[in-house]
Structure formats: structure tokens, C-alpha cells
Amino acid sequence: MAMERRAQRRIQSLYRHLSPQASDASSLLHPIVLRAEQLSFRDGREAVIIGGMVLDIHALPLSPTAPGTTTPGKVHYVLGGVARNIADCMSKLGGKPFFISAVGHDMAGNRLLEHWRSTGCPIEGILQTQDITTAVVCCVLDPNGEVAAGVASFESIEKFLTAEWIQQFRYKISSAPVVMVDANLNDRALEASCRLAAGDNIPLWFEPVSVAKSKKIAPLVKYVTYVSPNEDELFAMADALSPGKLYCLSKRYKSQKNCPPESLIKMLKPAIILLLEKGVKIVVVTIGAQGVFLCSKEGSILTRTVVEKPQPLGVSSELHRLISPNCPSHKFHDVRQIEGTSHLFALQLPGLPASVKKLTGAGDCLVGATLASMCEGLNIIQAISVGIAAAKATVEADSNVPLTFDLIGVADDARSVYLAAKVVYDGPV
């Protein structure tokens, strides 16, 4: 029956594309003509990732910095951008995401596009023109690998990654198992992406990017299935949805954030509940070294899969083969199937000890590995376990995304996370 429903959904989507009277998914968008290759059979496991490609410049001082002068250190060019990191991580785990972005005909753009072409993933969704100056971020890192200061130039993403460009790939969106958007997009492009996914009932993952940009969720929240904030982004989104309501709680949380998970979830609970009540199905809150809170209004939704049966071929199927038996899905099948605005179910999946080189890219790889795992038929709890394992590998690497992932090592770490996962809240709010 599920397969029939998917087939019917694709036929309906195709009819909407071909019908001259079909209504558009967004009043902002314009109809397009289907090309022949768009009608070919697709396996339904190509996630669509929409967002920025960025060249990161990482500067690591070897001694304390001082105003008015330079400081000896090391400077690295690193391929970056939240959406690019997520898509790159997915490709390293065997996925073939369809990436929609924009770069220029300059050193940064050529370097980014050359690498993406080397992954074997489709490049049709990446706009490259002479008019674009590729997005660049320059960061000064502290001795712990944290960003001490930085300057970001995102004009190319905001100006050229448009609703009209995204609209051209609606056929990809309509057949995807999940669509991910990052908040670097301008408001119009974000709305277009969300409406296109919603038009075909495709789950949508919103990646907040930063505290300031996380607030862009406010007019889009009804379209969002998954959201992945850290604690500060969580409060910023809640404040955007209900201004001033949680301000005092946010200040209190910042002064007590090193407390045990059971206490943390109680402080974060009002913000999480607000997002769930506004329509988000699953909230994934990253809590630093303590891992992740995975939250929903009903526990059973966390054990469902987005893709029911992975294909038996390819590296990505190896990921499913390694994870599925070691992270048995029945572990959480006894969770209560209670749904309602006054109920919260929250799991903590712990972080892993790591030899940290830098922290940039860790959250992106957590999301990327989670999405790759979901596209391979794992449920969200199993997928987040893989995500945490990938994040560990990332903080131990020099680049935003490791050059390669040791799948056996990732599977072993994911198993440790999965087996240590625990319910930290299951009840009324």
C-alpha cells in the first residue's frame, strides 16, 4: 500500500507539471517546461539539499592576538557552507544528493564546483555565472577550535539562489524522500522551497545556520517537519514565534547549561513545545558534548522510517547493513503512542569522546549523516546515532567534512550512542 501511495503521488505530481491548468505550488513562482530527462525513472532516494556553497578561510593564531598588528599562525582554505557540508557528508557516506546552489566564475567558485563534480553527484542544480561573487567566510579560531571572530560575505546566496532557480528543479523535489533548506536563503527562496516540498507532502528539514537567521522559521514553520537548532538557536526561533515569552528562561538557561540532561530538558521544554505546537514534527536540539535531544509530541513517530526499503546495491546500502542489526529498531517500540499538544517525548542521544582539532562542520555532518541514514531506510533515532558518530569523526579532522569516513568505525560509534540513548521526558507539559 505504501508503494502504491508513492506511485500515485508521483503520477499526481507529474500531472500537475504537465497540465496547463495546474495550479502552482507558490504564487511567487512561474510554470516551467519539463525536459525529457525529467520524466525518467527515479529511485526516490535522492535527497534535495538547497543552500550555500562557501569557501571558508580558517585562521588559527599560534599566540594571543593583539589589535593593530598581525599574529603568526596558520591559514587554511576549507570548502564550506552549511548546505554544502551537509551534501558533501552525504556523498561521503554513499548518498547522491541533488544540490541546488549558486557560485561564481572565480577562484572560490571554481574550487567548490570542481570538488562537487569529483563526488559524482549531479551538478545541474548549481548555478555558475560571471555575475556572481562566490560566498566566502573568514574565521579566526581560538585554541579550542571555536570561532573567536569572523566575517561572512553571503551576497551570492541571498541574491542569486532565487525562487525562480529553485523552481526549475521542482521535479527533483517532488520525488525526493526529504528536502533540506538552510537559512542562508533569502525569504522568497525559502518560502518557494517550502511550498514546493509541501505541495507533494515531502518532509522538509530546516537548518537554522545561526541565531540571527534561525528566526526566518517564523513564517515557514507550518511547512517544517524537522528542525535542528542548538540551544541558542532554539530560543531564538521560539522568540520569533512568540516574542518576549521565553526571554527570562533563555537568560536562566545560559547560566545553568552545564546541568544534567534531565534538568536541561526541563529548561528547554517550553521552547521545544512551542515549535511542536506550531507544526514542527521533530525537534533535534544539539547540546554540545552532551549530544542531542530528539523530541516530538509522540514517541512512535521516532521509530518510523522515511524510506521503507533501501536498494541492495552501492556503498550506501553498506551503511544500512552495518547499522540496522547493531541498532535494533525495536529498542524503542514500546514508547507510548500519545499525540497531543500537551504531551512531549524526548530522548537524549549522548555525545562521544573525541580528540578535538576544531568544531566547525560538526553540526553540519551530524545533519548530513542523519539525512543519509534516513534515505537508506533507518529511522530517525538510528539516523541521529549515525549523525553523532559522523560529528565525532568531523571534529577529529582538519576539514569541515572528513576526506573519508571509516564506515565500520562510524557504525561502532553509532551503536554506542544508540544503546546509551535514554528517555529524559515522556509525559504532559
Side-chain angles (χ1 to χ4, degrees), residues 98-419:
F98 189 86
F99 188 24
I100 303 175
S101 192
V103 295
H105 274 292
D106 50 22
M107 182 274 288
N110 291 336
R111 189 167 183 168
L112 286 159
L113 193 55
E114 179 184 3
H115 171 79
W116 187 247
R117 186 178 282 110
S118 74
T119 67
C121 294
I123 64 168
E124 299 91 333
I126 301 173
L127 174 67
Q128 186 179 36
T129 74
Q130 296 285 0
D131 298 332
I132 300 175
T133 300
T134 303
V136 175
V137 174
C138 182
C139 296
V140 178
L141 307 179
D142 66 19
N144 297 317
E146 295 265 23
V147 176
V151 176
S153 173
F154 284 124
E155 182 185 17
S156 63
I157 301 170
E158 296 165 352
K159 184 177 179 181
F160 293 97
L161 188 44
T162 63
E164 288 76 17
W165 178 250
I166 294 166
Q167 160 76 359
Q168 294 187 50
F169 306 102
R170 62 186 301 168
Y171 70 99
K172 279 288 190 179
I173 291 172
S174 69
S175 64
V178 62
V179 172
M180 196 288 306
V181 295
D182 81 28
N184 282 317
L185 299 177
N186 65 50
D187 293 344
R188 193 165 174 266
L190 274 173
E191 182 180 4
S193 303
C194 293
R195 283 179 175 268
L196 285 171
D200 285 295
N201 296 315
I202 307 300
L204 185 116
W205 188 299
F206 180 89
E207 168 51 45
V209 175
S210 68
V211 169
K213 293 182 178 180
S214 67
K215 298 177 182 180
K216 292 184 179 183
I217 197 174
L220 310 170
V221 66
K222 63 183 178 182
Y223 304 116
V224 176
T225 312
Y226 308 92
V227 67
S228 45
N230 61 26
E231 307 106 299
D232 293 333
E233 291 163 349
L234 173 68
F235 280 115
M237 288 190 293
D239 187 63
L241 292 166
S242 184
K245 185 176 181 181
L246 301 177
Y247 177 73
C248 294
L249 184 61
S250 175
K251 290 182 65 177
R252 182 175 139 229
Y253 174 78
K254 290 178 180 179
S255 67
Q256 301 179 27
K257 62 189 305 181
N258 294 322
C259 57
E262 291 79 6
S263 300
L264 278 182
I265 192 64
K266 290 179 181 178
M267 285 189 281
L268 295 174
K269 185 174 66 174
I272 294 168
I273 284 295
L274 184 56
L275 286 173
L276 294 174
E277 288 181 343
K278 294 292 185 179
V280 177
K281 301 301 183 203
I282 294 175
V283 179
V284 180
V285 187
T286 56
I287 50 174
Q290 296 201 62
V292 166
F293 285 140
L294 184 57
C295 311
S296 70
K297 287 196 289 186
E298 57 165 324
S300 62
I301 195 175
L302 303 179
T303 62
R304 300 173 194 162
T305 58
V306 174
V307 175
E308 295 180 9
K309 186 178 180 181
Q311 288 191 346
L313 302 176
V315 178
S316 51
S317 293
E318 183 72 5
L319 179 65
H320 184 277
R321 186 186 69 80
L322 288 169
I323 300 299
S324 189
N326 290 319
C327 302
S329 58
H330 59 75
K331 175 173 165 47
F332 296 101
H333 272 181
D334 59 348
V335 297
R336 292 186 291 170
Q337 299 190 25
I338 299 174
E339 183 175 4
T341 56
S342 60
H343 188 85
L344 173 66
F345 181 85
L347 279 176
Q348 184 216 4
L349 290 90
L352 293 163
S355 301
V356 178
K357 289 187 176 180
K358 51 104 193 89
L359 296 174
T360 56
D364 302 339
C365 284
L366 187 151
V367 174
T370 298
L371 290 172
S373 301
M374 289 167 58
C375 291
E376 282 308 309
L378 299 176
N379 66 41
I380 187 69
I381 307 174
Q382 296 167 321
I384 290 288
S385 300
V386 178
I388 292 173
K392 175 198 170 185
T394 303
V395 300
E396 295 180 336
D398 292 317
S399 53
N400 285 332
V401 179
L403 296 178
T404 60
F405 284 103
D406 171 13
L407 285 184
I408 293 177
V410 167
D412 288 343
D413 283 337
R415 180 177 185 274
S416 298
V417 172
Y418 188 82
L419 295 180

